[in-house]
């Protein structure tokens, strides 16, 4: 027919109730829906600064490294020590009878270098007043023969003293037995500063110094 039987029905609201309630579950799924994301680059800054300690640990984390083989080459400069290593020194007794090489010295000689080659010792005579010291050399005096045949020698330098047992050519109360300067042991050759240029060995009354360098 040309016209509908009636106008269509219109509803402004839904039906009073859904056909069924939404589904609900008290237990969620066991696994997340997807794996967590992973980044090869960490964040630009740490979440917190590293911890610090004012007191270091009492023990190192590992023992120090050791090597059974020292370095192949020594250092360029020697190490310095406030305490030098101990050295063994040789005791040297100079008795004016022999030179450094063992050769015998002679009475009346003016000497300066008999020990220089072997021990580096030089002998020098310096007069306070007067005296005869060629090239600053002292002279060897024979205490067993202080007068040299009455040529104006000096018996006060003789040894041993005439009062000793056994006696010798020395004279003077300062060398008698029991005195502080007791002269009862033979002295042999001794060094003097010669008084004047003469054959007899005679000590200088003006005195002086004999120095060993």
């Amino acid at each position: 027919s040309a016209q509908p039987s009636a106008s269509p029905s219109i509803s402004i609201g839904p039906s009073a109730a859904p056909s069924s309630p939404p589904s609900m579950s008290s237990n969620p799924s066991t696994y997340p829906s997807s794996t967590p994301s992973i980044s090869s680059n960490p964040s630009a800054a740490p979440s917190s600064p590293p911890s610090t300690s004012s007191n270091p640990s009492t023990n190192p984390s590992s023992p120090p490294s050791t090597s059974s083989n020292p370095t192949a080459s020594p250092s360029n400069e020697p190490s310095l020590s406030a305490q030098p290593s101990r050295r063994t020194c040789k005791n040297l007794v100079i008795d004016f009878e022999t030179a450094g090489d063992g050769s015998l010295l002679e009475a009346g000689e003016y000497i300066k270098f008999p020990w220089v080659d072997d021990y580096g010792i030089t002998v020098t005579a310096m007069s306070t007043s007067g005296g005869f010291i060629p090239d600053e050399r002292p002279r060897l005096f024979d205490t067993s023969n202080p007068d040299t045949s009455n040529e104006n020698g000096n018996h006060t330098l003789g040894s041993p003293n005439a009062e000793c047992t056994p006696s010798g050519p020395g004279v003077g109360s300062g060398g008698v037995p029991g005195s502080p300067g007791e002269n009862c042991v033979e002295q042999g050759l001794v060094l003097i500063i010669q008084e004047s240029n003469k054959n007899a060995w005679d000590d200088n009354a003006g005195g002086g110094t004999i120095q060993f360098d």
Side-chain angles (χ1 to χ4, degrees), residues 110-193:
Y110 290 89
I111 65 171
K112 190 169 189 176
F113 304 114
W115 302 286
V116 69
D117 290 337
D118 297 276
Y119 306 113
I121 298 174
T122 302
V123 187
T124 306
M126 294 166 282
S127 174
T128 301
S129 176
F132 178 71
I133 46 174
D135 192 27
E136 298 183 327
R137 297 171 183 245
R139 194 179 193 188
L140 287 169
F141 183 104
D142 186 1
T143 62
S144 66
N145 183 19
D147 193 2
T148 62
S149 301
N150 296 317
E151 291 188 39
N152 194 23
N154 192 338
H155 280 277
T156 59
L157 293 183
S159 177
N161 189 279
E163 300 296 324
C164 296
T165 302
S167 64
V171 298
S173 59
V176 300
S179 66
E182 179 180 303
N183 177 20
C184 291
V185 178
E186 184 177 350
Q187 299 299 312
L189 298 181
V190 297
L191 280 179
I192 64 168
I193 295 176

Side-chain angles (χ1 to χ4, degrees), residues 32-132:
S33 58
S34 62
T35 57
S37 61
I38 299 175
S39 173
S40 60
N41 296 320
S43 58
S47 57
S48 62
S51 61
T52 59
S53 173
S54 59
N55 296 317
S57 59
T58 56
N59 297 318
S61 57
S62 61
S65 61
T66 58
S67 173
S68 59
N69 297 318
T71 57
S73 301
S75 58
N76 294 329
E77 297 181 0
S79 59
L80 300 177
S81 173
Q83 300 293 333
S85 58
R86 294 184 178 181
R87 297 168 56 186
T88 302
C89 297
K90 179 180 179 181
N91 291 328
L92 173 65
V93 177
I94 296 178
D95 59 7
F96 312 134
E97 304 287 337
T98 57
D101 61 1
S103 60
L104 295 176
L105 298 174
E106 295 183 5
E109 283 187 89
Y110 290 89
I111 65 171
K112 190 169 189 176
F113 304 114
W115 302 286
V116 69
D117 290 337
D118 297 276
Y119 306 113
I121 298 174
T122 302
V123 187
T124 306
M126 294 166 282
S127 174
T128 301
S129 176
F132 178 71

